[in-house]
Every structure is written in C-alpha cells, then in structure tokens.
Amino acid sequence: MRQTVPDCFHFCGFPNVRKANDPEEVNALDLQYSEAKKSATAGNRGALFDAYEAFLGASVAVVCRSLDLTKALLSSENVVYATYYQETEGAGRLSEDSLFDSTRAATDARVFPRYYKDIRFGALSLDGKGVPTYGACSMVLKSSAISLRTTVFWENTVDFCNRICPIQKEPVPPGYRAFWSTRARLAAAKGQPMLDRQSTVQEFAGILIDRDVFVEVNIYGPFNRNSVERILVAKPTDKADRAVLSAIRDVIKKDALGIAVEEY
Amino acid sequence: MTGAIVSGQAGVAVFVKGSQAWCVSRQTAQPQLISQGLFPHLFGDAEDARHFPEATIDSARELLEEACRKERGLQLALISMDSACSDTTRDLSEDALEDLLDYSYVGEFISNRLFSRPLPNSSLWLNWHSSGLNYSKVAALHKSVMDSQQWILQGRAAWDAIPVQDFGEEGGKPEFESVLIETGAFRTIAVAMASGAKQGSAQLQLLADQRYKRFPNFRHVLMQWARVIPKATQAGVQRVLVEDDRRKSDRPRAKSKKTTGHETFQNVNVQKSAIQRQLQLGNLAQAEKYVDELVKGQVTSGRPDLAAKSLCDLAKDAKDLGYGDYQLTWSAKARELSPGDPFVHNQFADALLGIGDLPKALAVYKSTASDFPQNEVARTGKAEVLKALGRFPDALAAYESTVRDFPQNVVARSGKAEVLKALGRLPEALAAYESTVRDFPQNAVARNGKASVFVRMGRYQEAEALVATEQTQTRVEWIALHILATIKLKLGKHGEAEKLFAKGAGCLWADVKSRFIAAQAVLLMDRKQLSEADALIRSERSLESKVVQIDIYRRMNRISDARKVLLELSDCKVASIIEISRDLERNMGPGPKTISNEKFVEREIEMLMAA
C-alpha cells in the first residue's frame, strides 16, 4: 500500500490513519459522538459520560496471547508479532478453508482495502487486561510505539460487518473508526448506552471490554518486544505456568526490557 | 466445516459446527459460543494449529489438553537448557517437565523436535551430566538427547545435503522437513545409527509411513537421506569430536573413550553388513565364519552384551532372508552371552515361533514376561503364540492385559483385533482395528488387519480402499499387496489377482514371498495344472506352503508323497495348520469327500491371507 506521494516521496501517512482521517469518517464520528453526548445529558448522565471519556483518554492498546506465545515474542528482538495473513501464508500455520476464514478475509478487504495484510489486531483497554478468550497474558503496548499508525474500530470488524452491513458489495458506513488521539470519542459514543447513573469508575473497564465485545485496535505494521510496556497475567495455578512466567521475568531482566509484569 | 481446530501453543480449541463456533480454553471450564469475528485471531501466532474433523465438543477439550501438554513440555525442556534463565526458573521447569513426562506422548513430542538438529553451543544441556539432574525422567530425556548428538548432527547434515530441486516444488523441502520432524523421522534416523541398525531397515521404516507419500519424489528423497548417512558418518563424527574437544577440554578421558567406542561401532557395522551380504549370496560357511569372528572380537573386548545384540540383529536378518535355522542358532547363542537382556530372549522365542515350536516359544516368552514384566514385546509375543496355538481366549486375555498396561502399544492392540477376528467376532474385531487405525493412522499393520476383516465380512470394496496401493517397498506393503490380490480373487478378477500374486516373486521377505508363491500354486491347482503347481511350491519351506503341497499331492493321487509332507507337519502346533491338514488327510484317497475341492481352495486362500 502506498505510503509516499509518488512525485516527491513525501510520507503521506499510514493507510488506516488516512482512512480514519477522511472528512467523511471524521464528520460521521463527530455526529455519533454529539448524539451520544446529547443522549447522556438528556438522561442526566452527562457528567458520567464526561468522566468515562476522560478515562478513555488514557486507554491502552492490548494484545492477548498464551504464556507460551508471549514468551516466544519476548525471547528475541527479531521476533515480530505476525499478522493472521502472514501466519496462514507461511508454512507454520494451518490455513483452514473455512467459512470463518473467508469471512475474515472478505471483511478485512472491505474495512482495510489493499492494506489489510499489514494490520495487527488488539483491543482497547482501561485496566490493561485484554479479551481473555485471546489468551491468558495481556500485553499492553507502548503508546509511543503505536500511536501514529493505529486506529480503533467500533467493535470486532467481522461482527460489525455481519451485523451492520452484511452485503459484501455495500460500503462500510462511516463514523465507526477513529485515529489514536480521538479513540476516547469513539469509545465514549459506543459505551454511552451502557452508562448507567449508578455506574462507578471501577465498572468503566468492564463497559469498554464486555467479555468478547470490545473496541478493536488496528495497528499498521509490525511490532516486537520493544513495543511492550507491561504484561498482566492471572496468577499461575500450576507448576508449568509458574515456570514459563518465571522464564518471562528472566528474559525481561536479562535483556533489560523494562517491561513490568503484574499478576492478578 | 465441522470438527475442532486445536492449538497447544495458543492454549485454545475451537469447535465448529456449521456457522457456529465454540471456544474451549484452559481458562474456562465450559465451552463458550464465540462470534465469527473472534475465530481467526484466537490462534494468534501459533504454528501448531491442527484440524480434527472427527472431534466432538467433548473430545476437543481432551485434544486441547494433550496439545497443551506437548507444547508446554517442549517449552519447559527449552527453558531447562536456556542459559538466559535463572536457576530457580530451570528448577521450576524441570519439576513441571518431570510431571508432564508421565505422558509418554509428551516425551515423544519433545524428542522428535530435539532430535531434528544438534543442540546449539549455548545450550546448558551440553555441559551437564544426566546424573546431576534431580528429576529422573528429565535426566533420561537429557541422556537420550545427549547420547545421540553425533547422530543427530549427521542426520541433519545428510538432510541439508539433499538438493532443494529434488523436492519438486518451491517450498517443498521445508514443508517435508516439518512433517519429518513432527513424525519423528529425524529421530528414527539418529536412533537407527546409534543402535547400529541397517540403513535398509531405516529406509523401510520411513518409506512405510503414509504421511510422507503426499510429497513429490518422497521415495527418492527418503532413500537418499537414509543412504547418505553412513557416507557422512566419518566426517560428521570427526567434526563432533573436534567440537567436543573444544567444549570439553577438561574431560579428556571421556573424549578418548568416545572415539574408541565409535570406531568399534563402525567396525561392527561393517562386519554385520558383510555377514548379511554373504547370507544373501548363499555363502553360508563364509557367513558363519564372519559371525564367529565378530562375536569373538566383542567377547574378547569384554562386551558379551554387545555380542549378544549383534547376534540378535543378525538373527533378525536371517529370519527376513528365510534362514529360520540361523535365526534360532544365533539367538540361542545370544541368550548364553547375555541372559539378563530381554531382547535376546524375545529374539530366541521369535525364532522358535518361526520354526513352529510353539510350546517352547511360549515357555520362553512366558519366562521373559515374568522376569521383565515391563517388556511389552515379551507380553505380545506370548499372546501371539497363544493365538497360533489356537488358544484364542487365553490369547485375547493376554493381549487385553497388555493393552491395559500399555495402551499405546499398537502391536498389542492389533493383536487383540486379530484374535477377535480369529474367534469370528468380526464386528468387535473391526471396531478394535478401527480404533487402532484412528490412534495410529500411520500404522500399516493395523490397516492391513482392518482390510482383512473387511474381506472376511465380504465388504471387498472397503477392504480394497485400504490396500489399494501397489507400492512394495516394505514388508507390510507386500502383505497389503497380497491382501489386494486376494480381494481381486474374491471379486472374480482372476487375471488381475494372478498378476499381483506373480509380483510376489520379487518380495525380499522369505515368509511373505512364500505366501505369494503358495497362492499362485493354489490358483494353478484350482485350474488343475497340478504338475505346474507342484513344481512351483516344492522348494518352499513355510508351514502354509506345506499345506498347499499336501493338497496338490492329494489331488494328484500321490498319497504317499502327501503323507510324507504331512509327517513334516507332525510337530506343528499352529492351530490353523493342524485343522486344515487334518481335513486334507481325511479327504485323501478313495471314498466320499466331506469337504469339496473348491472349499479347500477357499480355505487355503484364507489361510494364506491370515498368515
């Protein structure tokens, strides 16, 4: 996908960010946001909405992996977090000719046309914990490593397209994606209906990631262990998990990666 | 798509049915219905995701547990040898690995990978001694990997030396390599070299594996791989020793012992090859002389145990070449030299079984099984003899107890199915074979057994599908070809059957070849070409061929000749042989016949297929 202007080779931005910056997208998101805020205010939840949005300003991108895969990523600088397509096109990964795979490819080609093979997926999180189904280990990515090339989407893109625009030939409606610095507006607009007057600050994290429903983070290009800021992992319950977690701590210490490991 | 996709690395299994999917993970007790959008990303960077089309939502969890144990075991082994890890971490990992090694498949999974290339110089395992490890199973794994480093290096070098062009298509070599690693072929090569097994047997083992047959040129590649190893041995070992010298300069005594051991090993291999060649050429006196020299040399150097192992290897070669008497003599000698080794007793019992001395074979297997209760070969051998004696309930009980104690023993499981077949409990036999084939898809013996049950049930098309290939590199492939020929015969395709039976003349295994020749003789006999049938079978020595010979003489009215052959079988205790030869005797000479000629043909064909 083109990232430079052909005549002057000036960098013209990452394609996902350019798409989110498209005036049509920006205007549609502004409209969503305004309506959400209006609705919250009308329901006497305006302050809560503002508080939620303020918290979302500090939200982080999280990818979840099993302990084994986390250790593999941290073991060397040369290991990069692969995309789904790099895995299936490589020899290592089984590529099932399944309904799910074809749906994934079809959706990605609609949402991220021509550059979908460069997109890595994660979730937006307030407490650093990601979508547990993806793996027990949540890796929080450094904002500095991703902010310029990351956008967020309303929800999992496949589920979104299946629900909102199931006809493949129809365009994906605007207003459901945002670039990194405006992620709070999108997430606040999405979460507004769930904000109850009784909601507490502690519950905000559960509104942002409600089991498998979350705001999807779309990162253009690779990242490696140097992009990881901290790791959150459930307290290991067996010897093997303890050993692998201990090995993760060892490699962080030995290579001075400065990654904090938190058990919960 | 239905079934489950399972990844031990990701710690996730997804069960799919139609357009719905459920996620099974180690973190959750119950499967969770998941959306389509989650599905592809659940496996993250995992490289081990596998599809199990037959899996159910319940079995998906079991498959996941197994996959996780395997991957976790490998991770822990790697942590154990990782110099970047702290002592605490390594101790934790060895403790956890010790538990996981209770599952035999975990050890196999790890070994298959660790045997695929030499350990890197940075690996801590290179500097450790197994006896210094606190955990016995981890120590055993360490020892097996360390003892094989030189062979692993050679196996890897031999593989790397095969030109990429030989693999037909771009990317063919790495793909083939990943399957070879997964299936333990590198380990097979290394173990074959370490144990002094012949190049041929390693080749045969590799060629028999169905999983390699989808790769273009697989036969050539595997033959080349196995062949190039001995040529590379000298240089490869020298390289290892030089590296060893550098690495372990503080251990000169161990170094010099290794060199001597290897040279001896090389010499023994050369001697064994020479003996095998003399047997093939029929120079028996020369073969005997070489055997004496080999044994004398090993005994003189204070290693009667190795002499016994050499004799057993040679006994097995002799058996394959049809020299049952040599198998008996050499394995008997091996027993004298190394009475504490169950391997030699089993080889001796096998020789007794081969010559039809079933009571003695049973006694030897029994005493070996009692002295070495963990020896699976002795236990399956005992069951096999009981089956041959026609003591089917006893045989079934023996196989069942072995299966109970060693559920991964494919010989015991196939044997149990075979006995059920002999008892006429065909649906049970089929079920037993089916479960064996499911658990050991690469096991051709079980597949052949299943095909023979289908033949007995008259389900010829299903049988044919299992033995459809006409490839004949290994013993089991020849047996499959024999079954295929029998199916053609049952289907009335006599021409095709005859052609396939005639192909058996090229079989290298004397006992299997004898079946093909006997089947040809039966067909000639059925067409009343009795003299031709007689000429074909006369020099055959197997028990089954004697039965066919009796029938031919019976039909030629050469009753005294038939009785002479009957006399040769008088000591035979094999139930199926006794039964048919007794019926033949009753139907000799004048007088009414209780069994028709056609029925005898049918029974003989059956006997040859079951043999």
Side-chain angles (χ1 to χ4, degrees):
Chain A
M1 181 65 190
R2 187 160 62 89
Q3 290 173 42
T4 53
V5 180
D7 50 356
C8 64
F9 284 93
H10 180 75
F11 180 67
C12 59
F14 296 100
N16 55 326
V17 179
R18 286 213 311 271
K19 174 68 183 164
N21 238 340
D22 188 299
E24 191 189 17
E25 291 283 353
V26 172
N27 293 338
L29 179 60
D30 280 347
L31 191 63
Q32 295 242 41
Y33 174 78
S34 310
E35 281 178 5
K37 193 171 170 85
K38 204 160 75 184
S39 173
T41 308
N44 289 331
R45 292 176 289 119
L48 196 63
F49 183 88
D50 290 343
Y52 185 49
E53 187 185 349
F55 271 91
L56 287 168
S59 58
V60 290
V62 177
V63 290
C64 285
R65 284 291 176 265
S66 66
L67 272 172
D68 291 357
L69 291 173
T70 302
K71 179 177 173 293
L73 180 71
L74 298 182
S75 294
S76 162
E77 208 165 49
N78 298 327
V79 180
V80 293
Y81 190 92
T83 69
Y84 169 69
Y85 299 99
Q86 285 161 349
E87 285 294 339
T88 52
E89 283 168 7
R93 166 83 174 269
L94 163 143
S95 174
E96 280 304 321
D97 185 18
S98 69
L99 168 70
F100 300 98
D101 277 5
S102 53
T103 311
R104 173 88 252 169
T107 302
D108 288 349
R110 285 174 80 191
V111 183
F112 313 107
R114 288 179 291 159
Y115 56 89
Y116 64 93
K117 290 187 178 178
D118 288 311
I119 295 291
R120 278 89 177 150
F121 297 86
L124 203 60
S125 169
L126 281 174
D127 59 4
K129 293 179 196 165
V131 183
T133 322
Y134 284 169
C137 214
S138 299
M139 284 180 275
V140 178
L141 303 178
K142 289 175 187 164
S143 186
S144 59
I146 59 157
S147 60
L148 294 177
R149 54 190 174 115
T150 296
T151 51
V152 294
F153 200 89
W154 194 263
E155 63 180 285
N156 176 293
T157 39
V158 174
D159 291 341
F160 176 86
C161 288
N162 284 347
R163 197 166 54 81
I164 304 290
C165 47
I167 297 167
Q168 180 69 17
K169 285 179 183 170
E170 283 182 4
V172 177
Y176 294 96
R177 63 180 102 203
F179 43 93
W180 187 248
S181 58
T182 56
R183 65 192 185 284
R185 289 166 72 83
L186 178 139
K190 182 189 173 187
Q192 179 276 130
M194 269 86 75
L195 289 173
D196 191 274
R197 269 176 295 178
Q198 309 305 319
S199 293
T200 62
V201 168
Q202 285 74 24
E203 286 167 350
F204 285 169
I207 290 173
L208 185 58
I209 297 181
D210 184 8
R211 293 183 56 176
D212 293 342
V213 180
F214 55 95
V215 173
E216 192 176 83
V217 172
N218 309 127
I219 305 159
Y220 185 92
F223 59 84
N224 66 2
R225 66 183 189 178
N226 295 326
S227 311
V228 180
E229 185 172 75
R230 62 187 174 120
I231 290 172
L232 287 92
V233 60
K235 205 173 260 306
T237 51
D238 66 27
K239 284 186 203 172
D241 280 356
R242 270 197 294 279
V244 178
L245 185 57
S246 181
I248 287 175
R249 289 183 196 276
D250 285 348
V251 76
I252 289 171
K253 191 174 168 190
K254 178 186 148 274
D255 293 348
L257 299 178
I259 300 171
V261 178
E262 298 166 28
E263 291 180 36
Y264 58 88
Chain B
M1 188 179 85
T2 55
I5 296 175
V6 181
S7 165
Q9 287 175 8
V12 165
V14 174
F15 175 73
V16 184
K17 193 172 182 188
S19 59
Q20 287 193 304
W22 289 262
C23 175
V24 179
S25 75
R26 297 182 70 217
Q27 291 93 38
T28 52
Q30 293 298 322
Q32 291 180 331
L33 188 66
I34 55 164
S35 71
Q36 285 190 14
L38 283 180
F39 179 82
H41 299 301
L42 287 173
F43 298 101
D45 300 339
E47 294 177 350
D48 68 327
R50 280 185 63 196
H51 180 211
F52 296 87
E54 306 293 329
T56 62
I57 199 159
D58 292 328
S59 67
R61 183 170 290 279
E62 287 165 30
L63 290 166
L64 174 65
E65 285 299 331
E66 183 176 326
C68 285
R69 283 187 196 114
K70 287 175 175 172
E71 286 293 341
R72 188 44 66 82
L74 180 62
Q75 276 287 341
L76 294 170
L78 296 175
I79 292 172
S80 161
M81 61 179 82
D82 187 352
S83 56
C85 290
S86 64
D87 290 346
T88 312
T89 301
R90 281 197 299 273
D91 192 53
L92 276 171
S93 73
E94 282 156 25
D95 186 13
L97 179 57
E98 183 77 1
D99 291 350
L100 286 175
L101 287 172
D102 280 341
Y103 301 92
S104 58
Y105 56 76
V106 173
E108 194 174 323
F109 181 85
I110 299 170
S111 297
N112 286 351
R113 280 146 186 83
L114 296 186
F115 273 70
S116 67
R117 57 179 70 244
L119 294 176
N121 286 342
S122 59
S123 169
L124 287 178
W125 278 22
L126 291 170
N127 303 317
W128 288 351
H129 198 277
S130 306
S131 60
L133 290 165
N134 295 329
Y135 304 96
S136 62
K137 293 189 210 88
V138 178
L141 175 68
H142 170 266
K143 187 174 185 316
S144 76
V145 172
M146 288 311 300
D147 286 353
S148 303
Q149 281 302 295
Q150 57 183 340
W151 313 118
I152 293 169
L153 179 68
Q154 288 173 63
R156 167 52 59 180
W159 174 257
D160 290 344
I162 303 174
V164 178
Q165 301 87 305
D166 287 8
F167 293 83
E169 53 197 40
E170 201 185 339
K173 187 168 182 180
E175 198 188 341
F176 198 171
E177 181 180 323
S178 71
V179 174
L180 291 171
I181 294 172
E182 175 71 37
T183 52
F186 279 89
R187 192 170 158 214
T188 302
I189 290 281
V191 169
M193 285 193 283
S195 65
K198 294 190 309 294
Q199 180 192 86
S201 46
Q203 279 175 342
L204 293 175
Q205 195 177 338
L206 293 174
L207 289 168
D209 199 313
Q210 297 287 326
R211 292 166 292 188
Y212 309 145
K213 295 187 176 172
R214 69 184 167 92
F215 294 100
N217 225 6
F218 80 95
R219 194 181 303 277
H220 166 75
V221 167
L222 294 174
M223 299 276 279
Q224 198 182 344
W225 186 26
R227 200 184 308 126
V228 78
I229 292 162
K231 289 178 190 165
T233 300
Q234 206 59 47
V237 169
Q238 288 308 324
R239 195 161 62 244
V240 170
L241 292 173
V242 169
E243 283 174 4
D244 252 15
D245 289 353
R246 285 192 200 128
R247 209 161 40 220
K248 298 172 184 169
S249 54
D250 55 335
R251 285 195 273 172
R253 281 202 299 183
K255 180 182 65 187
S256 79
K257 189 178 168 193
K258 224 169 190 175
T259 314
T260 311
H262 177 70
E263 282 170 359
T264 310
F265 171 73
Q266 287 289 88
N267 288 338
V268 169
N269 272 349
V270 170
Q271 284 175 283
K272 284 201 283 198
S273 300
I275 294 163
Q276 193 195 23
R277 205 160 42 246
Q278 295 305 322
L279 283 176
Q280 281 166 342
L281 294 169
N283 297 336
L284 303 183
Q286 195 66 28
E288 284 179 33
K289 188 174 161 242
Y290 285 168
V291 170
D292 286 345
E293 283 171 9
L294 170 63
V295 171
K296 202 173 159 191
Q298 289 183 304
V299 170
T300 313
S301 62
R303 296 304 302 266
D305 55 327
L306 292 183
K309 280 194 167 48
S310 299
L311 280 166
C312 284
D313 289 344
L314 292 168
K316 194 175 171 304
D317 289 342
K319 178 194 174 186
D320 291 344
L321 292 166
Y323 295 109
D325 42 353
Y326 278 123
Q327 186 196 10
L328 190 66
T329 310
W330 291 339
S331 56
K333 176 81 179 160
R335 281 184 98 202
E336 289 168 19
L337 289 169
S338 187
D341 183 353
F343 179 62
V344 299
H345 298 292
N346 290 334
Q347 188 60 240
F348 181 60
D350 185 58
L352 290 166
L353 176 62
I355 61 163
D357 194 344
L358 302 187
K360 260 194 194 167
L362 182 62
V364 175
Y365 274 132
K366 260 186 178 172
S367 68
T368 311
S370 132
D371 293 344
F372 307 94
Q374 289 307 304
N375 191 279
E376 302 168 45
V377 179
R379 292 178 61 174
T380 51
K382 178 183 140 190
E384 193 185 343
V385 180
L386 287 167
K387 185 188 82 183
L389 283 164
R391 290 168 56 182
F392 297 130
D394 293 338
L396 187 60
Y399 275 128
E400 277 176 340
S401 79
T402 312
V403 171
R404 195 175 49 244
D405 293 345
F406 306 98
Q408 293 302 309
N409 188 310
V410 67
V411 177
R413 290 178 57 176
S414 299
K416 178 186 161 187
E418 194 63 27
V419 176
L420 287 167
K421 185 178 84 173
L423 283 165
R425 290 158 61 177
L426 298 182
E428 287 171 77
L430 186 59
Y433 271 127
E434 271 173 347
S435 80
T436 311
V437 171
R438 191 172 54 242
D439 292 348
F440 305 92
Q442 78 283 16
N443 190 280
V445 176
R447 239 184 1 262
N448 283 350
K450 185 177 168 187
S452 69
V453 176
F454 275 139
V455 174
R456 284 278 298 274
M457 295 170 109
R459 292 162 63 174
Y460 301 127
Q461 281 181 340
E462 286 157 280
E464 197 172 358
L466 287 166
V467 291
T469 174
E470 289 187 24
Q471 279 177 158
T472 47
Q473 286 285 338
T474 64
R475 189 174 188 277
V476 279
E477 282 177 354
W478 279 106
I479 293 172
L481 185 74
H482 192 283
I483 296 171
L484 181 64
T486 308
I487 295 166
K488 300 283 184 197
L489 198 62
K490 297 267 184 191
L491 290 169
K493 298 174 180 174
H494 289 260
E496 284 181 53
E498 266 184 78
K499 227 160 120 183
L500 293 175
F501 281 134
K503 215 177 155 187
C507 177
L508 294 171
W509 287 267
D511 58 327
V512 184
K513 181 180 174 180
S514 182
R515 285 189 217 183
F516 279 97
I517 292 174
Q520 275 184 287
V522 171
L523 294 186
L524 287 169
M525 179 179 75
D526 193 34
R527 288 207 301 266
K528 300 193 172 48
Q529 293 173 261
L530 299 176
S531 304
E532 288 91 332
D534 176 34
L536 191 65
I537 199 104
R538 204 179 299 151
S539 55
E540 287 304 306
R541 287 173 288 183
S542 70
L543 297 172
E544 293 80 14
S545 61
K546 298 283 174 205
V547 170
V548 176
Q549 218 177 342
I550 293 167
D551 198 7
I552 294 167
Y553 290 147
R554 180 184 73 94
R555 294 180 195 220
M556 292 171 100
N557 243 340
R558 288 164 57 179
I559 305 301
S560 62
D561 288 335
R563 289 198 188 285
K564 271 185 209 161
V565 185
L566 265 172
L567 207 60
E568 288 179 42
L569 291 178
S570 59
D571 289 336
C572 172
K573 299 286 187 292
V574 180
S576 57
I577 302 286
I578 295 171
E579 195 186 352
I580 194 167
S581 52
R582 190 192 54 214
D583 288 343
L584 283 167
E585 191 177 10
R586 284 177 185 161
N587 285 275
M588 278 179 192
K593 304 283 184 279
T594 55
I595 297 169
S596 68
N597 282 350
E598 291 73 26
K599 188 69 193 168
F600 271 122
V601 167
E602 206 175 293
R603 283 176 63 182
E604 282 156 22
I605 289 292
E606 192 114 312
M607 169 191 76
L608 290 168
M609 189 182 73

